[in-house]
Each structure stands twice: as C-alpha cells, then as structure tokens.
C-alpha cells in the first residue's frame, strides 16, 4: 500500500507537487546553477567511520514541490529544514523559536515592529553572501497580492511589510501585535534573490532547485528515488552539520520501507512512517521505535453542493455512526484517539468541543430520519495511504450498520486531489492531514484548514454559506485579539462551530512512528508530523 500522500493538504496556487510529478526530469532541474544537484546518478554512498553516509528512509514522495513558499510536501519540507534557514527557526518538537539567520529573537514579541540583523558571514551554498535584499525578496513574494502561495496564509493577515534597514538589517512591520508570528518565521525560508529572481526559477524550485544557507546543501535530486546532501563547509550558524553526507530515500510502500531499516542487511539508520504492525519486530531487532502524537488525523470532507450532504444532520449522522474506538483498536493498534475537537488533545489550544461524535448509531439513524433521508448510498473517495486504508473497513461497516450502503473507492492521492482541482463532483472524501508541519498554534492550524480563500474551502463548496462567512469573521477577530487568554477562548468557541458543522472534520488523531538504530545514532526525537529532523543528531 502506497504512502505517497501529502499529509497536510493542498497548496493554494497549484498542485504541481502532486499532479506534475510524472513529468519531472532530474537532469533538467538546475541547469546553470552550480549550487544545485551535480549528478543524476549519485546514491550518496561512500565514506567510513564518522565520514560515512547517513541513510534515511522517508515514507513520502520526494517528487512534490520544493518551493518553500508553497510546498506542503512532507519530504520537501523536512529536507528544506536542513537546506534553508529562516530569520528564526523553531525546535522540531517544542516549536520554540531560536535565532537562525537573525542574530537574536526579538525581546518584545508583542511589539508591532521587529528588527533583525543577519548573522555575520552567512553565505548561500553557492558562496554568495546572504543580504537584506534576499530577505525582502522572499517576504515580498509571500505578501504579494498577485502571487498565491501557501505561505501567504501564514503571514498576510498580520504582517504588513518587510523593509531593508541596511546591508544586513531588516524590519518587519506588523499590522497589529502578533506574538505567535515569531514561530511562523521559520516558514519563510530565506532564498537567494540572485538565483530565484531569474526567469523560470520558481518553476525550477517546484521541481527541486534548492539553494539555501543551511547546514546541508543538496547535491543530487532524483524524483521518486532519492535526494542527497552534504555538509556545507561555509555554514556558520547554530546547528552544525554532524554528517558528512546524507542520502534520503523515498520509499512510499510500507513493506520495502521497513525492510530497508531492518535485519542484518539494513541499508538505512532511520525511517519515518513505520506501520504499527511492524513495531514489535523492529524493536526485537534492536531498533528504537518511538511515536509522536499530534494533529495527524483521518478526516472526512463533504461536498456541500451534493445533496443530501448540504444538510448538517446528514454530515453529523455519518460521524456519529463511526465506531471510532474500534478504529483505534483494530486499525491503529491503539496508537490514536477518537477526535474530541478539531485540535488534538496535546495541543496547547485544545478544549473538548461542544459537539463530540462518540459512537451513537441510534442518534445517527434519528438524524437521517429527521433529514428525510432514506436509502442513502455513499461512494467514499479515499486516499490509499496504508493507515487510512486500514481504517476504511470500520467506516464501511459502521455506515452499513445504520442502513447506508457504502462503497469504498481508495485511489492514489494524486488522483483524488486532481478530481478536487478539476471541480469534479464527489460525495465524501477520507484523507490524512497534519498541519503540525507548519506549527502548533491553533490560529495557524484553523486558518490553514478553514481560511476563506484556501483550497480546502473550495473543495467543500462551503465558503459562501452564511455560517461559514460568520466563522471566517470570528476567526479574523480572534487573530487580532491581543489578550492571550481571550484569544484562546475565542478560537475554542469557533472550533465548536467547526465541530458542529462537520464539513471538514477529523475522525481520529493518531501517532506517527519513527524507527532508528540507537547503537549508531544519538539525538533523535520522534516527530508528531512526517519526516525527520537531523539537525541535532550525530553518530555515536
């Protein structure tokens, strides 16, 4: 079963990171740019002892967009954290900001002006210095009203402009106090203007052009195969590279991914996206396996223009019908919890929602009867991620039990979202999502999923609904609220509306498992979102 999902959903401008993968040609990625991939055959091998190559297995495709301003690709986002830097970056677990290209974290997060000085001697991978012009270049793209990027939704609401104050100085001018914005600065990776301002360079970025100032430089990129890296000798920042070379393999099929890290002939030292059924065997083989619980979830998305799914009672009925405890027990092997809010229980902004869809088939039947719906037939369009596929039989049996004839239609993620992009008709979609890749703050998570201008709302055909319009207004008011406690309460209140409406809503939140050889690696922490972060790892 394939796991080549983009687990965090769509980017707003284009889905080339899903639909254009088959057209990518490695040799055409970076013509004329010496800082990019140098070989189309490099497998990342060679070296011994401390100079040996670190091999990682990523359970998601590397053929998505690599443009940091618009990607939601699990592989690319994890890799970009090693290639690029923001003014500030964040710890991969706590998500607390630390100085990266900027020399310090602003002392007053509640100010409406943040001033940054770039790290002396910081250079890009092609040897050219990082300047204030590069910072302004990236933020101008993100804030440009005429350029739709995923990052725009994380910044445009609260950040007014970014201006140069000197060769290594910039000033961020906020629309209103927004302390949460500090941690979001890691999502604005600073990219060299002299590379990406060239005609066609943004398309090259989508295909794999990656030139940053981070501790590792990309040396080769082979879509659907592997991407290689080497330590950047010119890096003088806070997270020094510990590995001379890295080779990240993309293996989206679960069985070969597990095989690559297990047994006497294991060819990798770390792998993410470990199936629950393989945990015990890997541990018995001497590997460390750990999970990260967070926003990773199976969600249902309804087409509100397709009757009867325009009726809130029908949407609620299908949620109440699902035996989520059975799903957690059987499909997730106990590594999950039924959703009791849009946010997972470990999120700092969590509060149990006013509407919680505990398994209640009688209530589900009563809601369908009240809606005047009989003999309902549902074609459930689903992504074929392995753990999602394991959950689908529980959904079918639960819906069949209340008299809903259910057909399961699992397909490649690309196929599912191509249909969404083409505005084709559908009834219900089951897929995976994990906004924790972008951060932990509830404002970011909710705007990513329910922002009025994003693709999720376009897919649901719900944005013009009066309830949705009021929701969007409440979300914007919460963003602007200066008092943290009041803001938290306002977000929790509008999450109650999201829960009640059940237009786009999680069924279960689950753990993501990472396995590694603790006899060889130290400093590994399992993430609650896809990919790996090796900036604090090292050989033993």
């Amino acid at each position: 079963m394939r796991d080549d999902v983009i687990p965090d959903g769509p980017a707003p401008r284009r889905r080339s990171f899903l639909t254009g993968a088959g057209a990518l040609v490695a040799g055409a990625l970076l013509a004329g740019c010496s800082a990019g991939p140098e070989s189309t055959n490099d497998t990342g091998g060679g070296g011994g002892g401390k100079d040996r190559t670190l091999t990682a297995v990523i359970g998601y495709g590397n053929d998505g967009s690599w443009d940091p301003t618009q990607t939601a690709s699990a592989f690319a986002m994890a890799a970009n954290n090693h290639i690029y830097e923001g003014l500030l970056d964040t710890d991969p677990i706590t998500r607390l900001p630390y100085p990266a290209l900027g020399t310090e974290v602003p002392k007053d997060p509640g100010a409406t002006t943040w001033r940054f000085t770039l790290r002396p001697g910081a250079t890009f991978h092609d040897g050219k210095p990082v300047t204030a012009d590069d910072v302004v270049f990236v933020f101008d793209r993100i804030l440009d009203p005429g350029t739709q990027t995923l990052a725009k939704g994380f910044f445009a609401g609260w950040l007014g402009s970014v201006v140069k104050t000197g060769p290594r100085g910039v000033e961020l001018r906020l629309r209103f106090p927004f302390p949460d914005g500090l941690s979001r600065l890691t999502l604005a990776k600073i990219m060299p203007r002299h590379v990406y301002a060239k005609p066609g360079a943004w398309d090259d970025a989508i295909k794999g052009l990656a030139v940053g100032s981070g501790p590792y430089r990309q040396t080769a990129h082979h879509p659907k195969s592997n991407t290689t890296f080497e330590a950047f000798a010119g890096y003088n920042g806070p997270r020094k590279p510990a590995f001379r070379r890295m080779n990240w393999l993309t293996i989206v099929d679960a069985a070969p991914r597990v095989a690559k890290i297990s047994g006497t002939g294991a060819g990798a030292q770390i792998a993410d996206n470990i199936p629950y059924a393989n945990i015990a065997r890997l541990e018995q083989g001497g590997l460390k396996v750990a999970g990260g619980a967070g926003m990773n979830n199976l969600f249902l998305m309804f087409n509100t223009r397709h009757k009867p799914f325009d009726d809130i009672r029908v949407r609620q009925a299908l949620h109440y019908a699902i035996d989520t405890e059975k799903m957690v027990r059987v499909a997730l092997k106990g590594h999950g919890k039924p959703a009791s809010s849009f946010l997972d229980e470990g999120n700092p902004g969590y509060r149990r929602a006013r509407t919680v869809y505990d398994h209640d088939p009688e209530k589900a039947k009563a809601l369908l009867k009240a809606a005047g719906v009989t003999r309902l037939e549902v074609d459930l369009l689903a992504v074929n991620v392995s753990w999602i596929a394991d959950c689908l039989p529980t959904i079918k049996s639960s819906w069949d039990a209340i008299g809903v004839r259910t057909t399961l239609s699992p397909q490649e993620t690309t196929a599912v979202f191509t249909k969404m992009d083409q505005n084709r008709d559908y009834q219900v979609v089951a897929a995976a999502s994990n906004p924790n890749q972008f951060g932990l703050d509830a404002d970011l998570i909710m705007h990513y999923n329910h922002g009025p201008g994003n693709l999720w709302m376009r897919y649901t055909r719900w944005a013009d609904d009066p309830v949705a319009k009021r929701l969007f207004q409440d979300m914007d008011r919460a963003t602007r609220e200066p008092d943290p406690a009041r803001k938290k309460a306002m977000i929790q209140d509008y999450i109650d509306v999201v829960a009640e409406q059940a237009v786009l809503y999680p069924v279960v939140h689950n753990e993501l498992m990472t396995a590694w050889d603790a006899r060889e690696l130290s400093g590994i922490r399992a993430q609650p979102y896809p990919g790996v972060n090796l900036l604090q790892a090292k050989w033993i």
Side-chain angles (χ1 to χ4, degrees):
M1 188 64 67
R2 290 177 59 85
D3 281 347
D4 54 343
V5 67
I6 304 302
D8 330 277
R13 184 170 67 90
R14 56 198 298 179
R15 292 206 60 92
S16 57
F17 56 90
L18 286 174
T19 59
L24 299 182
V25 180
L29 292 180
L30 294 169
C33 181
S34 62
E38 298 164 345
S39 165
T40 57
N41 299 304
D42 182 11
T43 61
K50 297 295 184 181
D51 287 337
R52 66 192 186 276
T53 297
L54 181 284
T55 300
V57 182
I58 308 298
Y60 304 92
N62 74 337
D63 54 353
S65 173
W66 283 66
D67 174 359
T69 70
Q70 73 163 8
T71 190
S73 160
F75 192 112
M77 287 191 70
N80 283 344
N81 285 333
H82 297 73
I83 295 170
Y84 294 97
E85 299 176 277
L87 291 170
L88 304 178
D89 282 326
T90 58
D91 180 87
I93 306 301
T94 68
R95 312 311 279 269
L96 293 174
Y98 63 86
L101 273 174
T103 56
E104 63 179 3
V105 177
K107 293 181 174 60
D108 183 4
T112 55
T113 299
W114 294 336
R115 296 179 179 86
F116 290 91
T117 300
L118 299 181
R119 187 175 69 237
T123 60
F124 289 113
H125 296 157
D126 59 4
K128 296 187 178 180
V130 181
T131 70
D133 291 326
D134 300 304
V135 178
V136 172
F137 168 73
V138 169
F139 278 102
D140 280 352
R141 172 176 169 80
I142 291 172
L143 298 176
D144 179 9
T147 302
Q148 289 303 315
T149 62
L150 180 62
K152 182 190 295 294
F154 303 144
F155 290 94
W158 56 273
L159 181 58
S161 63
V162 176
V163 298
K164 175 181 176 181
T165 59
R168 292 191 300 110
V170 294
E171 185 174 275
L172 277 62
R173 298 172 180 173
L174 282 59
R175 301 182 187 277
F176 46 85
F178 193 70
D180 287 341
L182 289 178
S183 62
R184 296 192 191 185
L185 294 182
T186 189
L187 301 173
K189 299 302 187 187
I190 305 307
M191 308 166 73
R193 184 179 183 278
H194 64 271
V195 173
Y196 292 98
K198 293 179 180 178
W202 289 113
D203 287 332
D204 289 339
I206 291 169
K207 299 172 186 177
L209 172 60
V211 184
S213 61
Y216 293 94
R217 64 186 291 268
Q218 186 196 74
T219 53
H221 177 56
H222 315 126
K224 298 183 181 294
S225 173
N226 70 306
T227 303
T228 62
F229 314 82
E230 71 177 15
F232 174 43
Y235 177 74
N236 67 347
R239 300 283 165 99
K240 306 296 184 184
F243 306 106
R244 177 76 177 273
R245 296 182 183 87
M246 297 194 299
N247 183 27
W248 288 20
L249 309 176
T250 169
I251 304 180
V252 297
D253 294 322
R257 183 168 66 253
V258 172
K260 194 69 177 178
I261 197 175
S262 58
T264 56
Q269 293 81 42
I270 185 170
D272 78 338
N273 199 14
I274 297 298
Y276 305 124
N278 296 107
I279 294 174
R281 180 166 69 87
L282 292 176
E283 290 179 333
Q284 290 168 3
L287 296 181
K288 172 72 173 179
V289 184
M295 270 294 295
N296 206 63
N297 67 87
L298 180 157
F299 66 86
L300 295 181
M301 178 171 67
F302 292 89
N303 179 357
T304 61
R305 298 280 178 86
H306 189 122
K307 290 184 176 298
F309 308 108
D310 59 331
D311 193 317
I312 185 176
R313 294 168 294 188
V314 175
R315 301 193 297 267
Q316 289 182 338
L318 292 179
H319 269 281
Y320 278 119
I322 298 173
D323 189 344
T324 51
E325 293 289 351
K326 177 183 177 182
M327 182 180 288
V328 169
R329 184 177 68 254
V330 175
L332 304 182
K333 311 299 182 188
H335 293 278
K337 290 185 178 181
S340 57
S341 167
F342 196 93
L343 302 175
D344 64 283
E345 293 183 13
N347 188 283
Y350 170 84
R351 182 182 74 191
R352 183 177 172 87
R354 188 173 57 217
T355 303
V356 176
Y357 295 101
D358 296 322
H359 183 218
D360 193 338
E362 294 307 314
K363 187 170 186 175
K365 291 178 185 178
L367 285 166
L368 290 177
K369 182 178 180 180
V373 174
T374 58
R375 299 181 180 179
L376 179 60
E377 297 183 11
V378 175
D379 184 3
L380 181 61
L381 181 62
V383 300
N384 66 343
V385 183
S386 55
W387 72 270
I388 295 288
D390 291 342
C391 292
L392 294 180
T394 300
I395 297 178
K396 175 175 169 55
S397 63
S398 297
W399 288 355
D400 287 347
I402 63 168
V404 175
R405 292 187 57 184
T406 308
T407 301
L408 301 178
S409 299
Q411 300 178 22
E412 295 283 347
T413 303
T414 303
V416 172
F417 284 101
T418 295
K419 291 179 179 180
M420 301 295 101
D421 289 335
Q422 294 173 347
N423 204 32
R424 291 166 64 178
D425 189 39
Y426 75 95
Q427 294 180 309
V428 190
V429 164
S433 178
N434 194 335
N436 280 167
Q437 281 193 186
F438 306 107
L440 291 179
D441 75 86
D443 180 274
L444 178 152
I445 290 169
M446 299 310 298
H447 275 85
Y448 172 70
N449 286 277
H450 287 80
N454 70 19
L455 276 182
W456 290 121
M457 291 297 95
R458 197 189 82 192
Y459 292 161
T460 62
R461 282 81 150 168
W462 190 59
D464 291 332
D465 187 282
V467 176
K469 291 181 177 180
R470 289 195 298 272
L471 170 68
F472 301 150
Q473 292 172 354
D474 290 343
M475 293 172 70
D476 288 341
R477 280 194 288 268
T479 297
R480 292 175 175 271
E481 174 56 48
D483 180 75
R486 175 61 181 153
K487 178 176 183 174
K488 180 178 180 179
M490 292 170 71
I491 292 174
Q492 291 170 335
D493 286 347
Y494 75 62
I495 287 177
D496 284 342
V497 176
V498 170
E500 180 184 44
Q501 292 295 313
V503 172
L504 173 68
Y505 201 71
V507 176
V508 290
H509 292 104
N510 71 318
E511 284 187 285
L512 289 177
M513 311 303 296
T514 301
W516 67 93
D517 191 337
R519 296 161 298 191
E520 293 196 65
L521 294 175
S522 66
I524 303 295
R525 292 178 291 169
Q527 298 181 167
Y529 51 95
V532 294
N533 188 300
L534 301 171
L535 295 179
Q536 293 177 295
K538 60 183 179 180
W539 293 118
I540 292 177

